[in-house]
Amino acid sequence: MRWTLAQRAQLFGLAEGGALTPEQFGQATAQARIHPEAREWQQTFDRLLAFGGALLLGAALVFFFAYNWDVLHRFAKFGLAATALLACALVALWSKPREVAFRAALFGACIATGALLALIGQAYQTGADVWELFAAWAALMLPFALLSRSSACWALWLVVVNAAMLRALPQSAVWGYIDSLFHLRSLLALAGLNLLVLLLFEGFGRVLLGEPRRWMPRLAAVGIVAPLCVAAIAGWFEAGFRPGLAVFAVVAIVGAIVYGALRQDIAILALLSYATIAVLTAGLAELLDGRSFLALNGLGLFVIFTSGAAGWWLMRLHRAGRGEEGVA
């Protein structure tokens, strides 16, 4: 028998608060293991080394092409990329499903797929926009992510999907990805895309990941809150971004209710809390004319006070054993 992460957090919270005597704490830890065993450390290092190796090999393939682009023949380039993809597929077929090698091989296949698509675009100059390349990459790696049920594969998929959206939304070919940050509709569309991903993993996380992990909902939450925070801050200074303030307020309130009372996720609550502090600080800067000495000191005190209050509240939730269920 072993303590779950939620039970472990609650146990430490009771001990720190003085509700448990040292003897009671010792009895509780004697009934079930509270420290990870050597086998658990080995499993963790196996995952880190396997996925780190797959990532480094994929990066090495991309940089090898970039450095030797003029030297290698077109067929040699395609042969190397296809060989890397085939090797990853063979390792996955050879490994047992859901094991570390199986998931790491499919992660490498995701990277090799992107390298192969980029190679096709560069070699044949298809004329496709960059966002189409990213969209095709996301579509082709989707079966690998579904098979692997790996947080790493899904995280890469989410990054590629967001890159495709960022590149498709800009109104200017000069600014590229950054141009999306200067349009309210682009920011709202990006937040809406990540909201769909959040709902998908909140509803079907066990099916997509095989375990109740929280990495993907939290990454999707960052994709929601970050663009809305930018829109809300700009809303204090630009009339065209004023609707972003209202959308951010609604999302912050709903998110606090859902993840404070229903789902109880400390990481997402912290994200919402400090994003709200950033938005309110920008509003006070506009109201108080942040260029004056007194205004700057007032803003500094506001940030310190609100950040401290948010940290105290989040720590209380953590010590109560809330928000730690399903940590990856």
Side-chain angles (χ1 to χ4, degrees):
M1 178 181 177
R2 57 171 298 182
W3 294 96
T4 65
L5 290 174
Q7 292 170 338
R8 192 183 305 174
Q10 186 174 13
L11 181 64
F12 279 114
L14 291 173
E16 292 174 1
L20 291 178
T21 64
E23 292 77 13
Q24 291 172 328
F25 182 78
Q27 292 174 359
T29 56
Q31 294 177 2
R33 291 187 296 105
I34 196 168
H35 298 294
E37 293 182 341
R39 179 178 56 84
E40 294 173 315
W41 283 109
Q42 183 179 356
Q43 290 176 348
T44 300
F45 283 119
D46 285 345
R47 293 190 184 98
L48 289 175
L49 292 174
F51 283 94
L55 178 62
L56 291 175
L57 288 173
L61 177 66
V62 173
F63 283 106
F64 180 81
F65 284 143
Y67 186 80
N68 298 283
W69 185 262
D70 295 329
V71 178
L72 293 174
H73 189 272
R74 179 181 300 176
F75 295 136
K77 299 171 186 175
F78 283 112
L80 285 173
T83 300
L85 182 58
L86 180 61
C88 292
L90 290 176
V91 172
L93 289 172
W94 172 76
S95 306
K96 293 182 179 179
R98 309 292 180 264
E99 286 191 347
V100 175
F102 176 82
R103 293 180 172 184
L106 290 178
F107 179 65
C110 292
I111 299 175
T113 301
L116 185 59
L117 285 175
L119 184 60
I120 293 173
Q122 286 291 330
Y124 291 103
Q125 296 296 320
T126 59
D129 200 341
V130 177
W131 77 267
E132 295 175 316
L133 169 65
F134 281 112
W137 185 9
L140 291 175
M141 80 163 73
L142 187 57
F144 298 138
L146 288 170
L147 285 173
S148 69
R149 293 187 177 183
S150 165
S151 297
C153 290
W154 282 115
L156 178 61
W157 177 83
L158 183 60
V159 170
V160 172
V161 167
N162 277 271
M165 176 69 78
L166 280 171
R167 192 62 185 84
L169 291 173
Q171 308 293 325
S172 167
V174 178
W175 289 98
Y177 300 94
I178 301 176
D179 186 61
S180 298
L181 303 178
F182 298 97
H183 300 276
L184 178 61
R185 291 182 179 178
S186 298
L187 293 170
L188 294 179
L190 193 63
L193 171 67
N194 287 279
L195 176 60
L196 293 177
V197 175
L198 175 65
L199 295 175
L200 178 67
F201 278 91
E202 289 289 15
F204 304 97
R206 290 181 179 272
V207 177
L208 297 173
L209 293 171
E211 298 176 9
R213 300 177 181 177
R214 299 294 302 160
W215 287 114
M216 286 306 298
R218 290 169 182 174
L219 286 176
V222 173
I224 297 169
V225 175
L228 291 182
C229 184
V230 172
I233 291 174
W236 293 113
F237 306 97
E238 297 288 341
F241 281 87
R242 295 287 163 77
L245 273 169
V247 175
F248 177 84
V250 171
V251 169
I253 293 171
V254 173
I257 294 173
V258 171
Y259 291 104
L262 302 177
R263 191 62 179 177
Q264 299 177 347
D265 192 306
I266 288 286
I268 296 180
L269 286 175
L271 177 66
L272 290 170
S273 299
Y274 290 105
T276 302
I277 292 172
V279 173
L280 292 177
T281 303
L284 283 176
E286 172 66 10
L287 180 64
L288 299 176
D289 187 8
R291 292 172 294 181
S292 66
F293 178 77
L294 290 177
L296 288 175
N297 282 273
L299 289 174
L301 291 174
F302 175 78
V303 171
I304 293 172
F305 175 78
T306 52
S307 299
W312 173 80
W313 174 60
L314 293 168
M315 184 60 69
R316 286 197 61 186
L317 293 180
H318 174 72
R319 288 180 175 176
R322 301 169 62 185
E324 294 296 326
E325 299 179 2
V327 176

